Amino acid sequence: MDLTYRPRRLRSSQSIREIVRETVLEPRHLLYPMFIEEGEGIKTPVAAMPGIHRYSIDLAIEHAREAWNLGIKGVALFPAIPNHLKDKFGSESHNPEGLFARTIRAFKKELPELLLITDVALDPYSSDGHDGIVSDAGEILNDETVEVLIKMALTQAAAGADIVAPSDMMDGRIGALRQALDEAGFERVMIMSYSTKYASAYYGPFRTALDSAPKMGDKKTYQMNPASGYREALRESSLDEAEGADFLMVKPALAYLDVLRVVRDNTQLPVVAYNVSGEYAMVKAAAQLGYIDEQRIVLETLTSMRRAGADAILTYHALDAARWLKS
């Protein structure tokens, strides 16, 4: 054939494919979510997430050290709080001697260079299982919840958190947190906003890991409608950017790559994708049944998130992916 240009020439060898590749995935792009529980020497499997565990502080630090040695620069911490410490107002969330504050202090002592991303939301601490305070009428109270989130973020910052990550989706919380952190002398503490977070069915395994599912109703009055697209995502992300967020996030990632691309194209802030528990569990289940090549699927999936615009990816695959990338 008389062809002026043959695109296959640029795919003809591994070397040329590496030279012209448009998207790079490296361990430095990965952030590792970790579940923490009380005790010592404890490693509790999360049934719905094969390969993932809840760790006591001592073992969590060793596991995080492994992540650091693989080139992963940050971990996101989520506490599993015993039921007897949960109440309607999430009071344990701002206990300076509670599990989470002690975890942060221990991590910063042992792994000072590892970035600590700490969750700001009431659901792990709430007897109602919601991200906010629930009124007697069943309404999620926005402004009253933000007051508790401020106390939580200040407790985390005082313990040594590098990045506080409000995942609650209450209105106005980014501005309130930024003001409170600055006034308390924590100007250097960053805010990673869950700015575009959908009321998704993909969160199920995470809620079993922390026993944090809602005890009544659902989260549709504060998390976004999966049928909503770019306009609502841009409203939410632009508000959080204006209020002082340092990072924006799209969660979940895989079913919302189109939204991720739009957010990326409309902000100068770093954008994070959360490759959530349900996405992880589906891959693990299919791999265990021999239906897919787990390594290829995981790396292709994470690359798709980078290609869509993610500067960093929160993923439970982080350690495996980092090993594969290094090999």
Side-chain angles (χ1 to χ4, degrees):
M1 291 184 291
D2 182 16
L3 300 178
T4 301
Y5 183 65
R6 292 179 179 265
R8 288 185 57 190
R9 285 196 289 262
L10 295 180
R11 307 177 201 137
S12 58
S13 71
Q14 180 67 20
S15 295
I16 194 63
R17 289 194 296 271
E18 287 297 317
I19 288 171
V20 301
R21 68 182 296 170
E22 299 177 38
T23 304
V24 175
L25 176 68
E26 298 176 346
R28 65 186 175 90
H29 297 123
L30 307 177
L31 300 168
Y32 187 41
M34 296 183 64
F35 301 122
I36 311 297
E37 65 178 329
E38 286 283 11
E40 186 175 346
I42 294 176
K43 180 180 177 181
T44 306
V46 178
M49 301 175 69
I52 300 299
H53 300 78
R54 294 195 307 268
Y55 295 96
S56 55
I57 296 174
D58 55 332
L59 296 188
I61 289 171
E62 292 310 306
H63 195 51
R65 194 186 309 277
E66 181 183 3
W68 174 260
N69 290 336
L70 287 167
I72 295 166
K73 304 301 182 183
V75 298
L77 301 176
F78 299 91
I81 304 299
N83 284 330
H84 73 274
L85 293 177
K86 298 181 181 182
D87 64 27
K88 190 176 187 67
F89 303 100
S91 305
E92 183 65 15
S93 67
H94 47 89
N95 178 0
E97 298 303 323
L99 170 64
F100 211 26
R102 287 185 282 111
T103 300
I104 296 165
R105 290 196 293 268
F107 264 70
K108 293 314 291 184
K109 179 181 178 181
E110 298 295 328
L111 296 168
E113 297 302 314
L114 180 70
L115 286 172
L116 288 189
I117 304 162
T118 56
D119 185 48
V120 178
L122 290 192
D123 53 328
Y125 309 91
S126 168
S127 53
D128 294 313
H130 274 283
D131 296 47
I133 298 170
V134 184
S135 73
D136 293 339
E139 178 187 358
I140 308 301
L141 301 175
N142 190 95
D143 296 9
E144 293 86 343
T145 295
V146 171
E147 292 302 314
V148 181
L149 300 180
I150 290 170
K151 296 177 184 178
M152 188 188 313
L154 291 174
T155 301
Q156 295 172 3
D162 299 294
I163 303 171
V164 295
S167 61
D168 56 288
M169 289 298 286
M170 297 298 116
D171 293 340
R173 88 275 204 217
I174 301 302
L177 292 177
R178 184 72 273 163
Q179 181 179 350
L181 288 167
D182 289 352
E183 290 177 351
F186 298 118
E187 297 92 345
R188 296 181 64 182
V189 173
M190 295 166 274
I191 298 177
M192 180 182 289
S193 173
Y194 287 59
S195 52
T196 307
K197 180 179 179 181
Y198 289 88
S200 172
Y202 283 98
Y203 305 149
F206 177 97
R207 292 173 181 167
T208 65
L210 296 186
D211 188 24
S212 61
K215 301 301 186 289
M216 79 291 286
D218 53 42
K219 301 191 176 187
K220 294 179 181 179
T221 65
Y222 49 100
Q223 294 178 359
M224 292 168 55
N225 185 346
S228 293
Y230 312 145
R231 289 178 295 179
E232 187 171 5
L234 290 177
R235 283 199 305 272
E236 290 282 1
S237 57
S238 61
L239 280 168
D240 287 0
E241 181 170 357
E243 290 177 20
D246 298 286
F247 301 82
L248 302 177
M249 183 190 293
V250 175
K251 179 184 180 184
L254 190 56
Y256 298 86
L257 293 179
D258 57 331
V259 177
L260 176 60
R261 179 76 263 169
V262 169
V263 172
R264 167 70 284 157
D265 288 344
N266 285 275
T267 183
Q268 297 300 310
L269 293 180
V271 177
V272 179
Y274 199 145
N275 179 209
V276 299
S277 59
E279 297 166 356
Y280 173 89
M282 290 191 302
V283 169
K284 282 291 186 180
Q288 288 180 345
L289 291 170
Y291 294 161
I292 60 171
D293 180 327
E294 181 180 357
Q295 177 175 334
R296 291 186 63 192
I297 286 286
V298 168
L299 294 181
E300 182 176 341
T301 298
L302 297 177
T303 298
S304 77
M305 296 170 191
R306 287 276 296 139
R307 189 182 66 241
D311 296 286
I313 304 167
L314 271 161
T315 177
Y316 302 95
H317 296 291
L319 267 65
D320 284 338
R323 293 189 193 101
W324 295 328
L325 290 167
K326 282 182 171 291
S327 66

